[in-house]
Amino acid sequence: LSLHDALPIYGIFGRKAGTAEGYAFSEPMKAATVVWSEETLDAFLADAQGVVPGNTMNFSALRKPEDRTAVIAYLREASR
């Protein structure tokens, strides 16, 4: 297992939320039906509690669409 493979973002696109091995996810995140895509990541980055109510991630939001687009582009590249 390489460091790259151990990162929780590796292979994030197409993966169900709360399923990366080796990480302790909240029960709401594990129970979520969200599958990560550019659209679901955009929604989550804009309103994490709205997408997965009760999740315990300490993240408020990225309000600007261009900021979310930049993060998603980074995740797309970094998760290969």
Side-chain angles (χ1 to χ4, degrees):
L1 182 69
S2 72
L3 176 60
H4 180 75
D5 293 342
L7 296 173
I9 63 171
Y10 179 74
I12 190 171
F13 290 91
R15 185 173 65 217
K16 183 181 174 298
T19 61
E21 289 187 38
Y23 294 88
F25 293 100
S26 65
E27 289 305 316
M29 189 62 81
K30 290 190 285 189
T33 59
V34 174
V35 174
W36 296 122
S37 66
E38 290 184 13
E39 293 80 15
T40 57
L41 281 166
D42 183 62
F44 187 81
L45 292 170
D47 181 14
Q49 288 298 319
V51 174
V52 183
N55 83 73
T56 58
M57 290 189 73
N58 190 13
F59 178 77
S60 57
L62 291 176
R63 300 284 177 221
K64 296 179 181 177
E66 59 269 21
D67 291 343
R68 295 192 307 272
T69 298
V71 168
I72 292 165
Y74 170 78
L75 291 171
R76 175 66 74 188
E77 184 62 30
S79 68
R80 294 180 187 207

